[in-house]
Amino acid sequence: MKSLALVTAIAAAGHDDDLPPLLDACADAGLHARAVAWDDPTVSWNRFDAVLLRSPWDYTERLPAFLAWCEHVDQTTRLLNPLNVVRWNTDKHYLADLAAVGIPTVPTVFVEPDAEPMDALAGFLRAWDATEFVVKPVVSAGARDTQRYSRDQDFAAGNHIARLLDQERSVMLQPYLPSVDGEGETALLYFDGQFSHAIRKGAQLITPEGTRQTPAAADDITARRASAAQQALAEKILLATTRLRQLEAPLPYARIDLLAGPDGQPCLLELELTEPSLFFDQAPGSAAHFAHILAELLTRDTVRARTGTV
């Protein structure tokens, strides 16, 4: 029986709604799966045939340590998703890479730690005639340190940017797209490169004065039928990622978060390849489907190792 680590964090224990159904589904698929914390020093990672990142949600607060751990695991066993993808995806500068190859993204201006905060913000506001805008760090999860502002809150926004830059954290500035208040975000889930299901997430930044306090409010997540245009864009994003990261096989899992842009067409908000919630509760059977894919993936790798095929 293949052994699989489902990686969480000590701080996230008990908070990952995806873990219980995935553990059960892995058992049904013939996998010996265990939920273990990446920051538990007692774990022997070489005992697992593969290590699947699921909810190491505190990585944003200690990214160098997390990436060092990922590198150690990658040298010891198989890390899913792959190390070069995780390194790239944990910093939202990846949006610039995707935009450069023609992927429509939410317009983003990056502000680096050596910049003057108010000058950067003034330049952004001149370039984008948005009623509201968003300030967020490039390494973040769950709307942490992210804030929505109106244009007349430029002083408060500038102070927010300055605080992040003083911590040597790069910052993203984005126009707030009003479509999110009505339509919400659409998250499309892909397993082994194939579309599985989609969900709708309500707005995470409720007003310019406050944000939700959790990665997603459970009462504002529902199943959604993805449109043909959304699926087409998601598949274009996955193809671009494959080329940018020089991948030889589809990613075991990917979540693509889309918004309706000013022209009504979908655009990329975030590409989640490290620790996304997979929303099994909103798609009955999806945990079993994912576990079956993981079992096939590990079996296929074993056959390749024995035969020497690629």
Side-chain angles (χ1 to χ4, degrees), residues 113-248:
D114 60 351
E116 203 292 316
M118 292 306 297
D119 288 348
L121 179 58
F124 169 80
L125 293 175
R126 285 194 299 270
W128 298 101
D129 185 23
T131 303
E132 296 177 347
F133 61 96
V134 175
V135 176
K136 68 171 75 170
V138 300
V139 178
S140 66
R144 187 178 294 115
D145 295 323
T146 298
Q147 188 75 40
R148 170 181 170 184
Y149 294 98
S150 58
R151 291 182 72 92
D152 61 3
Q153 293 177 304
D154 57 329
F155 182 75
N159 284 336
H160 183 181
I161 296 167
R163 286 194 302 273
L164 294 173
L165 297 183
D166 286 345
Q167 298 167 12
E168 295 296 313
R169 301 168 73 185
S170 297
V171 175
M172 303 163 61
L173 304 178
Q174 296 176 321
Y176 186 82
L177 300 182
S179 63
V180 71
D181 290 329
E183 298 179 30
E185 301 175 22
T186 300
L188 290 82
L189 285 301
Y190 282 76
F191 300 144
D192 198 30
Q194 300 300 311
F195 176 67
S196 171
H197 58 283
I199 59 97
R200 175 195 180 276
K201 293 191 293 179
Q204 297 298 290
L205 305 178
I206 303 304
T207 68
E209 288 76 34
T211 67
R212 292 191 188 275
Q213 298 302 307
T214 56
D219 60 352
D220 206 7
I221 298 173
T222 56
R224 167 171 275 179
R225 183 182 296 276
S227 70
Q230 288 170 333
Q231 289 195 51
L233 176 56
E235 287 159 17
K236 184 178 179 182
I237 291 166
L238 290 178
L239 179 59
T241 299
T242 296
R243 291 172 174 168
L244 286 168
R245 306 317 300 161
Q246 299 180 332
L247 302 177
E248 297 180 355

Side-chain angles (χ1 to χ4, degrees), residues 25-50:
C26 285
D28 292 341
L31 290 172
H32 177 59
R34 285 177 52 204
V36 287
W38 76 271
D39 49 348
D40 181 349
T42 68
V43 177
S44 298
W45 300 102
N46 59 1
R47 300 183 63 179
F48 297 99
D49 294 297

